[in-house]
Amino acid sequence: MRDIKPRETPCYCMNFRRMANALTKYYDSMLAEVGLTANQLSLLTDIQSIEPCNRSELAKCARVDRTTVIRNLEILRKKGLIEDVEGKANAIKLTEQGVKIMEEGFLLWKNAQDQIKEVFDPESRKVLREAFGKVEQVEAFIRE
């Protein structure tokens, strides 16, 4: 097998994607114990914060595109973690099992979060939080 080294690139997009992939894999591995991914746990907490809610409201709250929300909701529904709200068209809420798994997942997430905090000193964490907000502003450059 050839010895291929990872390629360095000045591309912001690729570097942010690599960073996001590494963090996602880490959080997903920490949450595997409860059968959730980081995205699914985040959606459960978003649902709880605004329930009952529809898919569009959830996408806006989560700040992700609606198709991603729909795909993840189907998985959460199959796991029995969300259900339709009776009498409200297209509205969803957490099931009792969903609340339980979310709470268990939150404890695992907190452990992951604490470990990540150990990697970065407080000043670096502040810079990262500021960078996250600035990177999201890049969307304003999209030409329609």
Side-chain angles (χ1 to χ4, degrees):
M1 184 168 178
R2 297 186 320 172
D3 182 29
I4 298 176
K5 306 238 184 303
R7 182 176 68 87
E8 295 296 320
T9 178
C11 177
Y12 294 117
C13 180
M14 288 299 105
N15 284 306
F16 277 110
R17 286 183 63 131
R18 290 173 182 171
M19 176 187 64
N21 286 338
L23 285 170
T24 300
K25 285 179 187 177
Y26 174 71
Y27 279 88
D28 287 353
S29 72
M30 295 294 282
L31 293 167
E33 184 179 318
V34 292
L36 292 176
T37 65
N39 288 334
Q40 292 165 357
L41 177 63
S42 182
L43 282 180
L44 290 176
T45 58
D46 290 337
I47 292 168
Q48 186 183 50
S49 73
I50 61 171
E51 73 179 9
C53 63
N54 64 39
R55 292 165 184 84
S56 296
E57 292 168 332
L58 183 57
K60 186 175 185 177
C61 177
R63 293 162 62 181
V64 296
D65 63 272
R66 196 169 178 274
T67 57
T68 300
V69 167
I70 290 169
R71 186 174 47 253
N72 278 286
L73 288 179
E74 288 309 311
I75 295 167
L76 295 174
R77 187 180 307 282
K78 287 178 184 174
K79 291 181 178 191
L81 305 180
I82 62 169
E83 63 187 358
D84 293 327
V85 175
E86 198 171 311
K88 284 196 159 203
N90 300 315
I92 56 170
K93 66 177 185 173
L94 300 182
T95 63
E96 286 183 32
Q97 179 68 8
V99 172
K100 179 180 178 285
I101 293 294
M102 183 194 66
E103 289 171 350
E104 291 173 11
F106 181 77
L107 295 175
L108 297 169
W109 171 87
K110 179 147 178 17
N111 290 337
Q113 192 80 349
D114 289 344
Q115 288 180 9
I116 294 293
K117 282 181 182 177
E118 290 178 19
V119 175
F120 298 100
D121 61 75
E123 182 60 30
S124 295
R125 291 194 304 264
K126 180 182 177 208
V127 169
L128 281 172
R129 281 190 302 277
E130 290 170 359
F132 298 150
K134 288 181 180 187
V135 168
E136 286 191 47
Q137 293 174 9
V138 170
E139 231 177 347
F141 299 140
I142 296 173
R143 296 176 196 200
E144 295 187 27

